[in-house]
Amino acid sequence: MRKSWWKITCIVLLVFTFTAGLLITIPDLPILGETIRNLFFHVAMWMAMMTMFTISVVHSVRYLRTFDLKYDINARAYASTGILLGVLGYSTGAIWMSFTWGDPNNPAFASFSALAREPKLIGAAIALLIYFAYMVLRDSIQDMDKKARVSAVYNIFAFAMLFPTIWIIPRILPSLHPGREGNPALNFKDVSSSMRIVEWPAFIGWTLLGVWITTLKIRFSLLKEKKLFS
Amino acid sequence: MAVSEPEAAVWNGLFWVIQLFICINAVAKSFMQENRGRMLYFYSIASPGDFVLAKILFNSLLMLGMSMLSLLLFSLFLGNPMKNAGSFIGLVLLGGWSLSLVFTFLAAIAAKAQQNAAIMAVLGFPIIVPQLLLLMRVSNAAFAPLLTIPVGAVLMLVALDLLVIMLAVILFPFLWKD
């Protein structure tokens, strides 16, 4: 019970996100309308994804410092949860996009070809591809120590390359997506105070949920390893 | 040829894609050619940092030469739509260098995972696409007389290259030990 306080926090925050997020009064903006509530889900997914990838790379660094296979298992688990959250961020974004950017006068196919060129979408897709490549690299090496070492090196390298992919280059290119001039969802002048009350708990709640899922995954793979060695 | 005199944007896109394939094929070999014995010999005479720097230097020179060669062939066979040839040549050299740096390090990783060529493409593609995208955008300016090359983007590419070199020197020792 002592160690489960953060799981309780996670549940409380997510329940709050779902109820308050759908009920609070929101600023009435043209085009956005009620879809602005997606901020609590779509942006939170990317926040949680970025946190997972950061934790993953920290574990990779720790593996290279200690050569303890435990850290390698952690790094892999956090990366795979990050991929899951990234896919969810993509799908919530697609729903949001279809209401705000999609042109109702055009057939879906015509709008799609215009929207798929969004630099932010391409950047996010590449970020996910980098981590898919990480998984492919892991599975292509048989020897366990070598696998851990090579994939830790790739993880660190890929993380360094992730920053230009999703944080810098999309801001240089013209885009429909908000976020060229800074961090719109984090800026205190941008978000109305009533939304901010839900926004931050949502970010923390989703991130904690990601960590929770990952700890379960880690326990599962540790048990599998144990079986392998006994 | 399928397209005898393509317009500038097509020419530019085609050129960078060809550069990518040249780089994958030229640089990928650098770690795969070495057999075990020779690696062991290198291991006994050089430190990992020196070794990877030497590899980077060689591949950079190779790729710079290849870039100039492909630029020459492109302008011979597909016409020359460049309005600002000097800055485009500069960008080609910078781009070739960036590509060679990233792929040298990826070749070192891929050499550890045995099925080399395929894994190299899988690892390299997502990592290089942002840089390639930026290079294409920046070099578009060389085809229009009124546009200037954005200095910020070029400096960012240079900074990225330095970052890759640093990471290679720091991380290569972990790949080297067997």
Side-chain angles (χ1 to χ4, degrees):
Chain A
M1 200 63 200
R2 229 170 3 97
K3 279 185 180 170
S4 58
W5 60 269
W6 60 273
K7 293 178 183 171
I8 297 166
T9 321
C10 166
I11 292 171
V12 170
L13 287 178
L14 284 181
V15 168
F16 175 71
T17 305
F18 274 98
T19 49
L22 296 176
L23 292 177
I24 56 156
T25 51
I26 46 145
D28 188 16
L29 296 173
I31 301 176
L32 270 178
E34 294 286 329
T35 63
I36 202 169
R37 295 184 198 277
N38 204 351
L39 178 74
F40 310 133
F41 305 98
H42 171 67
V43 183
M45 291 299 158
W46 296 115
M47 293 286 163
M49 177 195 86
M50 214 47 224
T51 318
M52 295 302 121
F53 287 162
T54 314
I55 298 173
S56 167
V57 89
V58 169
H59 281 294
S60 282
V61 172
R62 285 173 82 180
Y63 174 75
L64 288 182
R65 292 176 73 95
T66 59
F67 293 111
D68 185 348
L69 277 175
K70 185 180 78 194
Y71 293 122
D72 180 56
I73 290 171
N74 292 359
R76 184 192 186 279
Y78 277 105
S80 65
T81 315
I83 291 177
L84 174 71
L85 288 166
V87 171
L88 286 176
Y90 230 89
S91 41
T92 49
I95 297 169
W96 201 352
M97 175 177 88
S98 66
F99 282 101
T100 50
W101 297 348
D103 184 353
N105 301 319
N106 271 343
F109 185 73
S111 316
F112 178 79
S113 66
L115 297 179
R117 278 180 218 135
E118 259 311 295
K120 284 237 174 185
L121 297 191
I122 295 171
I126 289 168
L128 289 180
L129 276 181
I130 287 177
Y131 280 90
F132 285 137
Y134 170 69
M135 295 296 166
V136 171
L137 176 67
R138 290 188 64 90
D139 290 340
S140 72
I141 304 174
Q142 297 296 326
D143 181 63
M144 236 161 31
D145 288 300
K146 198 175 180 185
K147 174 200 280 185
R149 214 169 50 220
V150 173
S151 55
V153 168
Y154 181 74
N155 196 7
I156 296 168
F157 188 67
F159 188 76
M161 289 290 151
L162 193 67
F163 271 85
T165 315
I166 57 179
W167 295 108
I168 304 173
I169 290 177
R171 290 182 184 192
I172 296 175
L173 305 175
S175 162
L176 274 174
H177 195 287
R180 274 201 78 195
E181 299 82 21
N183 303 306
L186 300 179
N187 190 341
F188 278 86
K189 285 179 207 139
D190 258 15
V191 182
S192 89
S193 55
S194 63
M195 286 183 69
R196 214 181 304 135
I197 294 172
V198 186
E199 188 190 355
W200 286 98
F203 288 175
I204 299 168
W206 286 115
T207 309
L208 284 178
L209 185 68
V211 175
W212 190 355
I213 294 172
T214 318
T215 49
L216 293 179
K217 266 188 185 162
I218 292 168
R219 274 165 69 184
F220 185 66
S221 14
L222 281 175
L223 282 175
K224 252 202 289 195
E225 295 283 297
K226 220 181 245 170
K227 231 179 192 172
L228 210 66
F229 285 122
S230 62
Chain B
M1 304 295 273
V3 278
S4 50
E5 289 260 329
E7 53 180 304
V10 178
W11 196 96
N12 188 21
L14 208 58
F15 179 78
W16 286 111
V17 171
I18 298 284
Q19 283 290 93
L20 176 64
F21 280 93
I22 289 174
C23 191
I24 290 180
N25 285 311
V27 175
K29 284 184 170 254
S30 68
F31 281 86
M32 298 163 197
Q33 282 170 343
E34 322 284 18
N35 55 23
R36 274 190 78 81
R38 205 191 298 173
M39 280 305 245
L40 211 61
Y41 172 64
F42 287 140
Y43 189 78
S44 63
I45 60 166
S47 76
D50 295 340
F51 180 72
V52 79
L53 279 177
K55 280 275 186 201
I56 282 176
L57 191 67
F58 172 74
N59 283 331
S60 305
L61 290 176
L62 180 70
M63 196 56 207
L64 291 182
M66 288 291 191
S67 303
M68 292 323 292
L69 192 65
S70 75
L71 186 60
L72 181 74
L73 288 176
F74 253 71
S75 42
L76 281 181
F77 283 100
L78 295 177
N80 180 7
M82 287 178 271
K83 293 280 183 300
N84 195 348
S87 55
F88 188 71
I89 290 173
L91 280 173
V92 167
L93 292 178
L94 177 65
W97 189 47
S98 310
L99 289 174
S100 75
L101 292 179
V102 171
F103 277 101
T104 305
F105 191 63
L106 286 174
I109 292 178
K112 290 287 160 188
Q114 260 66 31
Q115 324 109 339
N116 294 313
I119 202 96
M120 174 100 173
V122 172
L123 297 181
F125 177 71
I127 284 188
I128 205 66
V129 161
Q131 254 168 312
L132 210 60
L133 206 69
L134 197 63
L135 279 168
M136 283 181 185
R137 292 286 172 135
V138 171
S139 54
N140 260 337
F143 295 99
L146 291 177
L147 295 177
T148 50
I149 304 278
V151 181
V154 174
L155 285 180
M156 207 190 85
L157 281 169
V158 174
L160 256 176
D161 292 347
L162 295 179
L163 175 80
V164 172
I165 293 179
M166 254 162 51
L167 279 173
V169 172
I170 295 169
L171 292 175
F172 187 72
F174 295 106
L175 290 174
W176 174 259
K177 288 176 221 151
D178 235 350

